[in-house]
Amino acid sequence: MNEEFRRVVLEAKKLPYPYNHIRILAYIATRVLGDPSEIKIVRGLAAAYYTDGKCTTAEADIYSPKLYNNPDILEKLGFKQHREYLRSPWILEETDTVLDFVGLDIPFRFIEVEIGGDRVQIMSPEDTLAYYLAEVVHWKPSKEAVQRTNLIFLAQKNRINEGRLREALERMNAYESFKKNPPRTFAKELCDELIEFLEDVLRVKNQRTRRKKAEL
């Protein structure tokens, strides 16, 4: 572990969750890999970021082919690979940062965030919400997924762009599913405010579709 990264580790240890882990990832992306886009944070850690730590996850799911294909980078930084665990995650024990590499089977939209002067990319709030909404509408969701869905919405409702959310739902094949099973169908899973928000989002889309058909 070089002296610069040791300083970053000490800085990260003073930060609350999840910013401690994001600080580590931002340093690696910006200073080691040379570009914030080289690490993309998805799923659980994105949910933690958008809820200010109310949602938690044991590992950081990241998409980073460059880092995955160059494990010596992690070794030099002090990460260890724990092969006894499923998927053999990489762990930085000083900050309990666990990295789990994932693929991107969906073209997620990302935004860039800055922390400690370094930057990293993270799933947009709309994509993060849509990801968990897709789990709710497509499968029998876990309690964790339901909790994340509601908490992300409540924390980000004044920031979420309705158009980008509609587009994200379409990319995740959830928009058509909500047309067949309206948001009210999920009253046990989704909070009332989120259901009303989704009804508005879907209603606007449906009105535009009907107008286009009428013009034809």
Side-chain angles (χ1 to χ4, degrees), residues 9-121:
V9 167
L10 292 174
E11 180 184 328
K13 290 171 74 171
K14 297 176 183 178
L15 296 174
Y17 173 86
Y19 309 103
N20 51 348
H21 304 312
I22 296 173
R23 178 68 187 99
I24 297 294
L25 291 168
Y27 171 83
I28 297 173
T30 302
R31 306 291 176 177
V32 180
L33 301 180
D35 193 299
S37 66
E38 291 291 351
I39 293 180
K40 300 181 187 299
I41 299 170
V42 300
R43 303 175 186 168
L45 192 59
Y49 175 75
Y50 290 121
T51 60
D52 198 26
K54 290 183 176 65
C55 295
T56 61
T57 181
E59 65 280 324
D61 288 337
I62 63 171
Y63 176 73
S64 181
K66 189 172 182 178
L67 195 58
Y68 178 80
N69 292 321
N70 294 277
D72 57 305
I73 293 175
L74 291 171
E75 291 174 349
K76 289 177 181 177
L77 291 173
F79 281 82
K80 298 178 181 177
Q81 190 171 26
H82 287 241
R83 299 184 183 279
E84 65 270 23
Y85 294 107
L86 185 65
R87 297 189 301 272
S88 302
W90 288 87
I91 302 175
L92 183 65
E93 294 177 345
E94 287 86 345
T95 56
D96 290 325
T97 300
V98 182
L99 304 184
D100 195 3
F101 291 96
V102 300
L104 285 187
D105 52 348
I106 298 171
F108 294 122
R109 176 178 168 270
F110 292 87
I111 64 170
E112 221 162 80
V113 299
E114 181 178 333
I115 182 168
D118 295 322
R119 292 172 296 153
V120 68
Q121 292 197 352

Side-chain angles (χ1 to χ4, degrees), residues 184-195:
R184 290 280 166 194
T185 307
F186 304 94
K188 291 183 178 180
E189 289 84 10
L190 306 179
C191 66
D192 289 342
E193 196 172 354
L194 175 52
I195 289 173

